[in-house]
Amino acid sequence: MSLTPFIEDCGGVENIARVLVPDERLIFEVRNPTLIQGNIEGSQFNDTLSQITYRSFPTPASEELLNLGKGIAKYQLAMAEDFILPVDCDYRPLWHVSPPKGLLNDPNGFIYHNGEYHLFYQWYPFSCAHKDKHWAHLTSKDLVNWQWQPIPMTPSDWFDSHGVFSGHAVSNGEELMLFYTGNVRIDEQRDRHTTQCVAVSKDGIQFEKKGPVIFDLPPKVTPHCRDPKIVKHNDEWLMLLGAQREDLKGRLAIYKSDDLVSWTFHKLCGDEMGDFGYMWECPDMFELNEQLLVVVGPQGIESDSQHHTIPHHNGIAKAVLSDDGDITLSEFRNLDHGFDFYAPQTMLTADGRRVISGWMGLPDEDDHPSVDSGWIHQLTMLREMKFVDGKLIQMPIEEMTSLRGEQHKLSLNNSGADLQTKSFDLTTTLEWGSTLSLFKGEAHQLDIRLDSESRTLFLDRSKTEVRQGDKVRELALTDSEQVELRILADTSSVEIFINQGEFVMSSRVFTPKQATGIVLEGQAQLDIWTLNAADKPFADKMA
Ligand code: FRU
């Protein structure tokens, strides 16, 4: 059955905001209901959703639906044009990736392909809300300066109408393939449908959606099944998905393929973790120094700390992968101990380093001061991961030194200084009992307090302008005689690398623009480099 009469009946492609095809229904969400002609018998209009439903509609040829998706995408891209111009804002980072407008969440599709680095992210351009996600796209030659690229995917199709959700990329010869989750919501009760989809690019810039490669859910799994990661294993491909079992336990779903097109469900893995959260999001898997590791974001685990009330965690576990493709996990630990780190992705650099970037933000928190200027959240800086003597180490990628400006050597003894910038790279070693305050102004500061009795580092943002979330994070460092810190600050964030990268704390920190002071209660030498701005990603768009 051709789509054409239905498209005409509802006022043409330009009037279609979404297309849905659940169980023999064809549903169009329309922009302007008065343009509906109503010539097709049996159609029904739902005012609340602004959706017209045509019944007994056998699924039409997917080529025709894909073409309709292209038509809808054209309109969505035109709407997003105004939102790719960044708004000026005192909280705007100088060298972190932040959205021009709207809301950023997970990094996606992080990969080295054909001589360039590609980094995508989840993006809702039109407001600071978690709504129909697009992918944004940046490329880089040096991992420091990123160039904005045309929007690669919008929620234009029947399989991703309510969000082109997270996923990874595969560099397949000349082709760049994006695997992602299509998120669809049906009817007023918003029934969730998820499929695993693929889009392909020949030039690394223009992507063509091919539609779902996995249409059905694994047995006994709820529609919370998403965020594909593809890895090569022996002669086959494995797809790892974050999944929720029907008994509300988070697990990893594993699929297998010979050709990246046809996928067969293998099994659910992770039972050895027991009751470990109600959902696992955004898996990743890679080897570091011959140790296989799996990254996953379990939701709904209680924290040991009374200060930590957020259900969304991030972490990494040791993994064993059998020849059959079964994954067994052990020794889960947090990847980051700050306030804001979630849904990370890793990538192998051209020279073989494993580099990670996460979302410096959290689900459920979408009201912070930058919202007043129309944007929220950013990605963390890129960190190199190593596995040394059984320990995971994360440190800033060495390329970060290219942003270094002036060097200051400060000797502080219960004293302070004005750095006159909030963008710096600071190294120091502190004694227990010291408190280092950063981003300090008249009434604001971020405190890093080393409590000598409990040998615990407290990161305290209660004297900042943060609007939601916890105020204190704690990290026990019982074995440390002193605490070595490397802190990279950028306008509205700090990333604190502790004891040569054994622990990291990432946090957004909002204080007024003039709050550029630094104060140390205690005594220490501080080696500080100011950090210059990276090239503007939107350079060719800016006047
Ligand atoms: C994690 C997440 C993913 C999902 C995406 C949607 O933050 O919930 O599981 O694919 O965000 O934006």
Side-chain angles (χ1 to χ4, degrees):
M1 196 184 284
S2 161
L3 274 178
T4 314
F6 298 93
I7 295 175
E8 278 170 11
D9 188 61
C10 79
V13 177
E14 305 74 37
N15 198 32
I16 302 177
R18 287 185 224 269
V19 54
L20 305 158
V21 286
D23 40 70
E24 306 221 333
R25 285 183 286 162
L26 172 68
I27 305 175
F28 290 144
E29 187 171 313
V30 296
R31 300 180 200 284
N32 180 354
T34 65
L35 298 180
I36 295 176
Q37 296 173 6
N39 291 334
I40 296 186
E41 215 178 298
S43 66
Q44 268 180 336
F45 185 70
N46 176 318
D47 236 350
T48 319
L49 298 174
S50 196
Q51 288 182 352
I52 180 160
T53 300
Y54 305 99
R55 290 190 183 273
S56 308
F57 186 82
T59 309
S62 100
E63 205 47 45
E64 213 186 346
L65 272 175
L66 283 171
N67 279 336
L68 174 59
K70 284 182 189 148
I72 297 175
K74 216 164 143 192
Y75 191 92
Q76 291 174 331
L77 288 170
M79 286 205 316
E81 249 328 275
D82 281 351
F83 294 82
I84 64 177
L85 299 172
V87 268
D88 263 351
C89 172
D90 287 350
Y91 301 111
R92 173 79 68 195
L94 296 184
W95 46 269
H96 280 85
V97 171
S98 64
K101 292 190 178 92
L103 177 145
L104 163 156
N105 58 300
D106 315 353
N108 291 151
F110 193 16
I111 199 156
Y112 180 69
H113 171 73
N114 260 353
E116 250 188 336
Y117 295 100
H118 294 256
L119 176 57
F120 302 79
Y121 61 79
Q122 289 282 283
W123 184 39
Y124 182 63
F126 309 115
S127 74
C128 295
H130 284 281
K131 290 192 180 163
D132 311 334
K133 296 292 164 61
H134 298 46
W135 277 37
H137 183 193
L138 300 163
T139 53
S140 174
K141 295 258 187 235
D142 60 8
L143 292 171
V144 175
N145 299 293
W146 292 91
Q147 176 63 44
W148 179 266
Q149 297 296 351
I151 298 170
M153 294 193 284
T154 64
S156 52
D157 284 82
W158 62 274
F159 44 83
D160 58 20
S161 58
H162 291 71
V164 184
F165 271 15
S166 286
H168 282 82
V170 174
S171 173
N172 189 25
E174 286 300 298
E175 269 185 357
L176 182 56
M177 303 179 81
L178 304 180
F179 286 86
Y180 68 94
T181 299
N183 183 52
V184 171
R185 298 299 201 120
I186 303 292
D187 297 335
E188 285 189 34
Q189 69 276 19
R190 292 173 62 72
D191 284 340
R192 189 190 287 270
H193 289 201
T194 40
T195 54
Q196 313 312 325
C197 308
V198 67
V200 175
S201 175
K202 299 243 180 281
D203 63 0
I205 302 295
Q206 300 298 330
F207 290 85
E208 177 156 9
K209 289 187 196 168
K210 299 286 185 191
V213 287
I214 298 177
F215 196 76
D216 295 317
L217 292 170
K220 296 195 170 22
V221 165
T222 76
H224 287 284
C225 182
R226 53 179 174 260
D227 311 331
K229 165 77 189 183
I230 316 289
V231 287
K232 192 94 200 232
H233 177 49
N234 300 333
D235 292 337
E236 58 188 355
W237 296 95
L238 299 182
M239 181 191 289
L240 276 58
L241 290 164
Q244 178 180 63
R245 229 164 50 183
E246 278 171 356
D247 61 358
L248 304 188
K249 290 192 185 3
R251 289 293 179 261
L252 274 182
I254 315 292
Y255 282 77
K256 291 181 175 184
S257 172
D258 290 331
D259 58 4
L260 292 166
V261 177
S262 159
W263 292 88
T264 325
F265 175 63
H266 172 52
K267 69 186 294 189
L268 283 187
C269 290
D271 277 353
E272 61 286 351
M273 301 297 283
D275 204 349
F276 198 63
Y278 55 79
M279 169 65 186
W280 294 359
E281 294 190 313
C282 300
D284 197 349
M285 183 163 82
F286 48 86
E287 218 175 77
L288 284 181
N289 200 8
E290 297 186 0
Q291 174 63 56
L292 189 68
L293 297 157
V294 163
V295 170
V296 68
Q299 298 182 300
I301 306 176
E302 297 249 317
S303 160
D304 295 340
S305 164
Q306 51 156 329
H307 303 293
H308 194 306
T309 65
I310 308 295
H312 312 288
H313 293 255
N314 63 83
I316 188 160
K318 286 189 180 168
V320 176
L321 175 61
S322 75
D323 274 348
D324 273 358
D326 299 358
I327 297 172
T328 319
L329 305 177
S330 63
E331 296 178 48
F332 180 91
R333 51 154 286 180
N334 282 351
L335 265 170
D336 194 292
H337 298 263
F339 296 98
D340 299 296
F341 186 87
Y342 196 63
Q345 290 217 340
T346 71
M347 182 253 333
L348 206 55
T349 60
D351 58 1
R353 289 170 292 155
R354 179 63 55 178
V355 167
I356 186 168
S357 172
W359 169 23
M360 192 149 36
L362 284 177
D364 311 332
E365 288 179 26
D366 46 21
D367 182 21
H368 283 309
S370 65
V371 165
D372 300 347
S373 305
W375 68 277
I376 188 162
H377 302 313
Q378 47 188 295
L379 298 184
T380 68
M381 65 176 301
L382 306 187
R383 309 164 182 175
E384 182 179 349
M385 304 176 94
K386 289 184 181 162
F387 199 74
V388 187
D389 300 333
K391 280 187 190 160
L392 180 73
I393 303 291
Q394 299 176 71
M395 282 301 271
I397 53 165
E398 68 192 34
E399 286 86 343
M400 277 306 300
T401 53
S402 67
L403 293 180
R404 284 181 173 176
E406 296 158 22
Q407 187 179 21
H408 303 276
K409 287 187 184 287
L410 291 183
S411 181
L412 296 183
N413 183 358
N414 294 315
S415 59
D418 186 353
L419 298 178
Q420 303 199 339
T421 175
K422 285 178 152 189
S423 176
F424 55 83
D425 179 350
L426 177 162
T427 306
T428 189
T429 300
L430 298 184
E431 302 295 335
W432 286 107
S434 317
T435 297
L436 179 64
S437 303
L438 302 174
F439 289 176
K440 188 167 169 52
E442 275 170 24
H444 296 93
Q445 66 197 57
L446 173 79
D447 290 332
I448 301 166
R449 201 168 61 245
L450 298 185
D451 181 63
S452 43
E453 218 165 283
S454 59
R455 291 232 167 160
T456 300
L457 183 158
F458 289 93
L459 179 65
D460 184 343
R461 61 175 181 181
S462 48
K463 291 190 204 130
T464 69
E465 298 167 316
V466 72
R467 292 182 188 166
Q468 280 180 317
D470 293 337
K471 296 286 161 49
V472 175
R473 282 280 174 270
E474 57 182 311
L475 175 66
L477 295 168
T478 335
D479 297 337
S480 307
E481 288 308 316
Q482 295 173 312
V483 178
E484 283 179 61
L485 299 177
R486 175 148 175 221
I487 303 174
L488 281 90
D490 182 8
T491 320
S492 57
S493 74
V494 294
E495 285 158 275
I496 308 172
F497 297 83
I498 299 152
N499 290 348
Q500 308 274 0
E502 204 180 328
F503 303 98
V504 192
M505 295 175 112
S506 303
S507 296
R508 263 99 43 87
V509 184
F510 299 95
T511 64
K513 190 176 182 190
Q514 314 72 17
T516 51
I518 177 171
V519 169
L520 179 66
E521 248 176 63
Q523 190 181 354
Q525 305 293 325
L526 285 75
D527 195 358
I528 303 177
W529 295 87
T530 60
L531 291 177
N532 296 323
D535 292 348
K536 287 199 172 23
F538 312 95
D540 56 353
K541 302 277 172 207
M542 309 260 296

